[in-house]
Structures are given as structure tokens and as C-alpha cells.
Amino acid sequence: INKYWSDLKHASFPGTIKSVEVKFIDSTYFKMYEIERVAGTIAIERDSAKNVVVNETLVREIGLSDPAKAIGETINYYGMDATIVGVVRDFQTVTLHEAMHPVLLTRFEDYFQKVSVKINMNQASQAIRHLEKHWKEAFPGYYFTFAFLDDELATFYKEDQKISRLLFAFASVAIGIGCIGLFGLITFVSVQRSKEVGIRKILGATIANIATLLSKDFILLVFVAGFIAFPVAYFALDKWLQGFANHIDLIENSWIFILAAGLAILFALITTGFQSVKAALSNPVESLRNE
């Protein structure tokens, strides 16, 4: 399975030349990578590179809106005429930073250099030794090397992963500092209003009443902080996502912000709730002794 590039011409648009990604494959490629057929056939048995399967993006590139109408069309790549016999669903061949490429797939064994194999990862080392043995028997003059697909994919997003780890570290520190500060404030307020809490308890206030009294102002501040932070977060995330040709719509996935708000309130409730309940459970006699 190898990837090359070629200029593409279509008979209906002789003046138009498109750049197309060419993959030389065998008949098991589509099953291996679970690529869905849209129209025509994906069985490329002839080893001539004159029968080709294309993706939906290529169909649109040559000016057709219906994949079924592409079947039987003649295109030219590498200076050779070929017939489209099948169309498959678009699949990612590059990083998500790039737009979907027009892809042409065909069979031509002279260009085969790589093989994809599904193995049981619990027996990976044995499988690799087995593959290396048979590779050397079949191709004694060629060097054997291998790579795991997930490792290859991970290299595409090294920078994004670094940014993600940094943001997670900074966010964790910020949340920690915020919780410590909130805990300090609720402790200070509890001590400052201890006599008020004692009087309210004597007059019949419940633990829930007192906990709510001490916590509500802080929860309100969290809401205010959310209204300030969410627009900033939205524009920052939207700017970052523009670096990806394929990305989610933040409006359609607004649940992310709702979840963030819920977690912020939860952290605030946990932080203030402990000290509020502790103050509500204190003996009012201790706080009113000097009055």
C-alpha cells in the first residue's frame, strides 16, 4: 500500500487539472480499513491500474454531484486513461489539520512496497518475528521494518498533544489555586459571621439554611465568573479549531460549556460546603459566650 501524487484530468473538463492522491492497493484494502462502498464495485482484480476506485471528494472535484454517475467515467492520471468502477465514502488519509484529499485507488503490484497486517497485540512480538521471517523469505533483498498504526497517527498530533498537556497542567493549577482561595474565603466568612450563625441556630435555623446562607454568595460569584469566562473560552477554542480542516461546531456542541459550568459549580459546592456545614454544626454557645 503506497501513496503517490498525480495530476488528474477528466474528459468532460479537458482544461481542468486536479492534484489527486494515488494509492496502489490489493482487494483486501477496503475490508482491512473498513472503508464503505457508495457506488459501483470495490473489487479491483485487474493488475493494470486502468480500473480505479475513487472517493466522494474526487467525484466532486471532477464536477459530479451523484457518485453513481461517476461509474464508467474516464479520467487520466500519469498520462494513462482509466475507468472509474467504484466510489467509496471519504476517509482520512492525512491529518485533521488538512482538508479531505481526492483519492484514487487501484491495483498495480509493481508499486507494492508495504503491507498492513492486523495482529493480536497480546502476541505482538511473536507476530512481528513471524512476519519478519516470511518477509525475508519472500523479499531477501529488501530491509524489513515495521510501525504500529496508532504510533504513526500519534506523530501527526505531537504538537497538539503537547499543547493539551500544558493546558491541562495550567488548568489544574488554576483550579487548585481557585479552590484554595475559595476555601480561605469561606473560612474567613464563617469566623466573621460565627455569632450570626449562633443566633440563627438558637432561633431554629437548620443546617441546610445556614450552609446556604454562607455559600450562596460564592456560588453567585462562580456564575458571574462563568458569564465572563465562557465567551473568552469560546473565541479561543474557535480560533484553535480553525487550524483543523475537519472540526466540531462549538454551537452544536454547547454541552461542553454546560458541563464546564456544572463542574465549576460542583467544585465550588464541595469547597464551600465542607466549611459551611462545619460552621452550621458548631456549638452556638461557643460563639455567643462573650456576648
Side-chain angles (χ1 to χ4, degrees):
I1 302 166
N2 296 316
K3 180 167 69 174
Y4 303 89
W5 287 90
S6 172
D7 288 335
L8 178 72
K9 297 181 181 180
H10 182 238
S12 301
F13 304 92
T16 303
I17 299 177
K18 302 290 184 182
S19 181
V20 62
E21 184 178 330
V22 181
K23 285 181 173 289
F24 294 101
I25 64 169
D26 65 10
S27 58
T28 62
Y29 181 84
F30 301 103
K31 183 179 179 181
M32 166 73 75
Y33 289 102
E34 300 178 359
I35 299 171
E36 183 182 349
R37 179 181 67 87
V38 175
T41 180
I42 56 175
I44 312 174
E45 298 300 336
R46 287 184 61 190
D47 185 27
S48 65
K50 291 192 174 182
N51 289 332
V52 299
V53 173
V54 301
N55 69 345
E56 294 172 305
T57 297
L58 191 146
V59 171
R60 290 190 293 271
E61 289 283 339
I62 62 176
L64 299 173
S65 57
D66 185 359
K69 292 181 179 178
I71 306 303
E73 289 285 317
T74 299
I75 56 176
N76 183 284
Y77 71 106
Y78 292 136
M80 173 178 62
D81 286 337
T83 303
I84 298 176
V85 297
V87 179
V88 295
R89 192 78 64 196
D90 281 338
F91 59 98
Q92 200 71 34
T93 62
V94 290
T95 74
L96 294 173
H97 292 281
E98 301 179 48
M100 199 73 69
H101 288 169
V103 180
L104 181 152
L105 306 103
T106 189
R107 183 186 179 104
F108 197 55
E109 293 184 2
D110 287 351
Y111 284 89
F112 285 3
Q113 293 179 358
K114 297 180 181 179
V115 61
S116 296
V117 181
K118 284 185 177 180
I119 64 173
N120 183 345
M121 291 305 295
N122 293 325
Q123 299 177 320
S125 58
Q126 299 95 308
I128 291 168
R129 286 197 297 269
H130 181 76
L131 289 169
E132 183 176 11
K133 174 186 174 184
H134 286 282
W135 176 276
K136 289 180 177 178
E137 290 174 355
F139 311 105
Y142 291 87
Y143 181 71
F144 174 80
T145 185
F146 69 92
F148 293 105
L149 181 60
D150 53 351
D151 293 335
E152 292 285 297
L153 293 175
T155 61
F156 294 162
Y157 306 104
K158 278 185 176 179
E159 293 303 317
D160 298 299
Q161 289 173 343
K162 286 180 182 178
I163 292 172
S164 176
R165 285 194 289 268
L166 280 172
L167 287 176
F168 179 79
F170 286 133
S172 299
V173 171
I175 291 170
I177 292 172
C179 288
I180 292 170
L182 197 57
F183 185 80
L185 279 173
I186 190 65
T187 302
F188 173 74
V189 170
S190 298
V191 172
Q192 194 179 44
R193 301 178 69 177
S194 60
K195 292 180 175 59
E196 178 188 350
V197 169
I199 293 169
R200 287 180 180 273
K201 285 193 69 175
I202 291 171
L203 294 176
T206 64
I207 293 174
N209 294 145
I210 294 171
T212 303
L213 174 71
L214 295 175
S215 301
K216 65 179 182 179
D217 290 338
F218 296 100
I219 302 302
L220 180 60
L221 286 174
V222 172
F223 274 106
V224 173
F227 279 113
I228 297 171
F230 289 159
V232 176
Y234 173 83
F235 286 112
L237 280 172
D238 187 63
K239 180 74 174 176
W240 178 67
L241 288 172
Q242 295 310 312
F244 294 83
N246 303 284
H247 58 79
I248 64 171
D249 187 313
L250 288 176
I251 299 297
E252 293 178 359
N253 292 271
S254 55
W255 62 267
I256 296 172
F257 297 97
I258 297 172
L259 176 62
L263 288 174
I265 293 169
L266 178 63
F267 281 130
L269 285 173
I270 292 172
T271 305
T272 60
F274 172 78
Q275 190 63 29
S276 298
V277 172
K278 182 180 177 182
L281 291 172
S282 63
N283 188 345
V285 175
E286 296 294 329
S287 59
L288 298 174
R289 178 176 296 173
N290 296 324
E291 294 298 324

